Amino acid sequence: MADLLTLGELLIDLTQTHVDERQVRHFAANPGGAPANVAVAAARLGASAGFIGKVGRDTFGRDLRAVLVRDGVDVTGLYETAECLTTQAVVSVAPSGERSFSFYRSPGADTLLTAEEAVRALSPLPKLLHFGSVSLTADPVRTATLEAADYARAHGVLISYDPNYRANLWPDETTALTWMKVPLEKTDVLKLSDEELPLLTGTDDPVAGTAALAALGIRLILVTLGSKGTFYRLGDAVGSVPGVRVRVADTNGAGDTFHGALLSRLVARPDGPLNALEAPELEEMLRFANRAAALTCSRSGAIPAMPTLAEVAAFAD
């Protein structure tokens, strides 16, 4: 039984490693996909985590399943399809470490998850269900995601949502924002970046923006600020926790590591993920999550770069 289930895309990140003397880009086939990243990050940090999604009946699909199993992620809810291949994302990396994405997903296996499959995989019920907005870009996975969230919420499961905006997966920004906003009223824990905050709220002021989101009933809101750390709103309490400085190799997976680290701490609370949670305890969790994300930034790849609990503890010393 997993305390944390994540739902969505599990794919191959073809991540740029270097450009050779002939100006040819070289890539490594890394396992990735934001919700899968979150599950692995949480599992490596001690949480009982599982994943719900779909891969192709191909070499990449088999490899991805093996990656999750090796990291102790429950794959009961990982389905296979012969209808199309495992989704791929080409991740190009700038000298600063910033990423750009191109997706091979028309369709990709992750988009074929059905509502019946998603809801079936919620048994036994977790404490928390997490998903992102990439699952809202196409059906049937869009319907599967929203129906799974409704089912989980109706049965007392907390909902975590990451509206991670990938412009090239949407026909236009208006369509993207329409669907990205749909889960907000179902959400208990929201993680978004400082670039996504103005998209969803119309303001880049974290105090005003998170207040507007909290009015929808969201109990905990986290705005990641890159190297500057994290802004949070917990009910009426707001604050920020500074980031951790490291030499950046690749930022891919850093936000997912951060969120997986935080969720691993939330589901470990004996009173429940959010019950009686107050700002001092939350800030300690965020310091832990920032350290985990910094370690990921210091290495290349998404899942391969994610730290273990021992590594985060040693990094804090």
Side-chain angles (χ1 to χ4, degrees):
M1 173 180 169
D3 289 333
L4 167 65
L5 284 177
T6 73
L7 184 156
E9 68 275 13
L10 172 62
L11 48 78
I12 291 293
D13 278 333
L14 292 173
T15 307
Q16 181 183 323
T17 57
H18 66 283
V19 179
D20 68 20
E21 67 279 0
R22 298 166 299 163
Q23 298 304 301
V24 174
R25 294 173 186 256
H26 291 243
F27 294 83
N30 287 309
N37 292 346
V38 170
V40 170
R44 286 190 184 175
L45 296 171
S48 170
F51 176 77
I52 303 170
K54 186 169 282 190
V55 292
R57 197 165 293 151
D58 52 30
T59 299
F60 279 152
R62 290 190 292 274
D63 288 348
L64 290 169
R65 178 182 292 273
V67 166
L68 296 189
V69 170
R70 278 199 302 272
D71 275 302
V73 175
D74 188 319
V75 294
T76 303
L78 178 58
Y79 302 92
E80 294 181 355
T81 179
E83 293 182 46
C84 62
L85 298 174
T86 298
T87 302
Q88 297 177 41
V90 176
V91 187
S92 299
V93 184
S96 65
E98 291 302 315
R99 310 155 296 157
S100 60
F101 292 83
S102 299
F103 289 86
Y104 290 78
R105 189 180 181 243
S106 299
D110 73 287
T111 68
L112 300 186
L113 182 72
T114 67
E116 188 273 334
E117 290 168 332
V119 171
R120 185 198 321 151
L122 286 171
S123 179
L125 290 168
K127 295 178 182 178
L128 195 148
L129 172 68
H130 169 76
F131 61 91
S133 63
V134 170
S135 295
L136 305 178
T137 56
D139 264 325
V141 70
R142 175 192 295 151
T143 299
T145 302
L146 296 175
E147 289 196 14
D150 285 340
Y151 178 88
R153 192 169 175 82
H155 289 79
V157 176
L158 296 184
I159 302 298
S160 166
Y161 173 48
D162 179 2
N164 45 336
Y165 180 53
R166 299 285 181 260
N168 55 2
L169 287 179
W170 298 95
D172 52 68
E173 187 175 295
T174 299
T175 303
L177 291 180
T178 297
W179 283 107
M180 286 169 65
K181 290 179 179 179
V182 168
L184 294 176
E185 292 187 348
K186 312 174 190 292
T187 298
D188 299 288
V189 179
L190 178 70
K191 194 279 287 184
L192 68 167
S193 72
D194 52 354
E195 295 176 348
E196 291 151 356
L197 180 67
L199 279 174
L200 292 177
T201 67
T203 178
D204 58 7
D205 177 1
V207 175
T210 58
L213 293 167
L216 300 174
I218 304 171
R219 298 165 64 182
L220 173 60
I221 303 168
L222 309 157
V223 183
T224 55
L225 308 172
S227 62
K228 296 179 182 178
T230 309
F231 177 91
Y232 71 84
R233 177 180 289 275
L234 177 62
D236 293 329
V238 297
S240 60
V241 174
V244 178
R245 295 184 66 85
V246 291
R247 184 185 295 275
V248 174
D250 177 359
T251 60
N252 194 22
D256 301 326
T257 300
F258 166 86
H259 202 47
L262 175 66
L263 296 181
S264 75
R265 290 298 178 92
L266 288 177
V267 297
R269 299 182 74 244
D271 294 333
L274 296 179
N275 291 343
L277 179 64
E278 296 185 354
E281 182 185 359
L282 174 62
E283 290 186 4
E284 179 53 40
M285 293 180 179
L286 294 177
R287 283 189 284 271
F288 172 80
N290 283 346
R291 292 195 299 271
L295 279 169
T296 297
C297 286
S298 72
R299 306 189 281 222
S300 295
I303 286 176
M306 292 176 173
T308 64
L309 188 58
E311 287 176 318
V312 178
F315 187 56
D317 292 339

